[in-house]
Amino acid sequence: MKQLFILIQFILLSTAAVGGNEPELEFPPANSVLRTVDPEDWRSVTQEFRDIALWNKNTTDIQLCDNLYTLPVSVSREGNVSLGGICTIAGSGQKVFICVDRMLGRFEVFPEFQRDLPWIAQKIFDHCWGG
């Protein structure tokens, strides 16, 4: 019985530790919160970046993306969402920061970037915000 109790405590602590590591940043200028995209959704978000690039007649060939972030237009997770991520360009292997606006389809590529949440939130807000 004691072993079961210890195992349950370990699972609860592990879950709390994993849940607490999700990067997020309150971003008052947008009345929103910058959050990490769930890793299970990275493939579909990367494909969305490719589709929006194509729609914008942008020739950027995105190989894969990581460090993907979402910045909703309000504190609600529903509705219009802007996305940003650090992506690798096919062929060159160059890493760039890309942001998109789902509602209007804006697409921006930044060859120079920072892996800093306030910088990321500000770039999304300044270049790919809302609708």
Side-chain angles (χ1 to χ4, degrees):
M1 186 68 170
K2 183 176 180 180
Q3 291 170 335
L4 180 61
F5 176 77
I6 291 171
L7 179 62
I8 291 172
Q9 291 299 318
F10 176 76
I11 291 171
L12 291 174
L13 289 173
S14 297
T15 304
V18 169
N21 286 338
E22 180 179 315
E24 67 177 42
L25 170 76
E26 287 188 37
F27 193 65
N31 187 31
S32 189
V33 177
L34 179 77
R35 290 188 173 87
T36 302
V37 172
D38 187 342
E40 292 176 1
D41 296 329
W42 284 8
R43 180 176 283 159
S44 65
V45 170
T46 300
Q47 185 59 50
E48 184 175 347
F49 280 14
R50 288 183 191 118
D51 294 344
I52 292 175
L54 188 60
W55 185 77
N56 278 283
K57 296 180 174 79
N58 188 299
T59 59
T60 303
D61 186 9
I62 303 164
Q63 180 177 354
L64 61 95
C65 295
D66 53 29
N67 297 348
L68 292 168
Y69 301 93
T70 178
L71 188 64
V73 168
S74 67
V75 291
S76 168
R77 290 184 186 212
E78 303 298 320
N80 189 21
V81 173
S82 297
L83 300 160
I86 299 170
C87 301
T88 304
I89 302 302
S92 71
Q94 176 187 7
K95 292 215 178 240
V96 297
F97 180 78
I98 294 175
C99 69
V100 300
D101 165 27
R102 280 185 172 164
M103 182 175 279
L104 298 178
R106 284 182 282 229
F107 178 86
E108 294 288 335
V109 178
F110 302 92
E112 296 182 14
F113 61 89
Q114 298 174 23
R115 292 180 184 266
D116 177 61
L117 293 183
W119 185 92
I120 290 168
Q122 192 67 54
K123 278 297 183 195
I124 293 171
F125 183 70
D126 288 345
H127 299 279
C128 297
W129 179 246

